[in-house]
Amino acid sequence: MSGAHLRAVGAHKDLLPYLVRRLLENGANSSFVHKLVDPRVPVETLTAHPVATLQRHTVLANPRIPLPPALYGEARRNSRGINMNVLCEWLPLKEQRTAGGTAAGAVLHWLTASA
């Protein structure tokens, strides 16, 4: 990995604080605290209810952000993916695998049956 910087995080107990710190670092410029100390930001914008802010928009979708199937453009359709946290998505895979099929066959069956 030429030019890539990899950082060891440590044990799993260290991962959450690391991720929170990175989240705070990455969102620092738009954070509530940053806006709170900015004299140009009206107090009303800091105390506005998030739902009220969303209700001012007629459409919540951003047309400039592609939907998952079109994520890679015309050149390649994005894979559908399997949410392993949803029982009805992974159970058919498990059942096919238990019945003697291969993992690849189970995925192919799942993809074609639910397409």
Side-chain angles (χ1 to χ4, degrees), residues 13-113:
K13 66 181 176 63
D14 301 322
L15 183 58
L16 184 59
Y18 169 79
L19 292 175
V20 169
R21 188 180 84 241
R22 293 302 313 254
L23 182 64
L24 291 172
E25 289 171 358
N26 292 339
N29 289 336
S30 61
S31 73
F32 174 80
V33 174
H34 184 77
K35 291 178 182 177
L36 184 64
V37 296
D38 187 344
R40 299 169 296 173
V41 176
V43 174
E44 296 79 28
T45 63
L46 298 173
T47 58
H49 196 286
V51 173
T53 303
L54 289 174
Q55 288 175 335
R56 287 197 302 262
H57 301 282
T58 55
V59 177
L60 297 179
N62 185 336
R64 294 180 296 173
I65 300 175
L67 294 175
L71 190 61
Y72 300 111
E74 296 294 323
R76 178 170 79 94
R77 184 168 173 83
N78 191 12
S79 62
R80 185 163 169 250
I82 300 168
N83 187 342
M84 299 304 273
N85 292 317
V86 177
L87 182 65
C88 67
E89 288 196 23
W90 69 263
L91 194 56
L93 295 173
K94 180 183 177 204
E95 290 169 353
Q96 174 128 1
R97 180 78 170 122
T98 304
T102 63
V107 171
L108 182 61
H109 172 75
W110 179 82
L111 290 172
T112 56

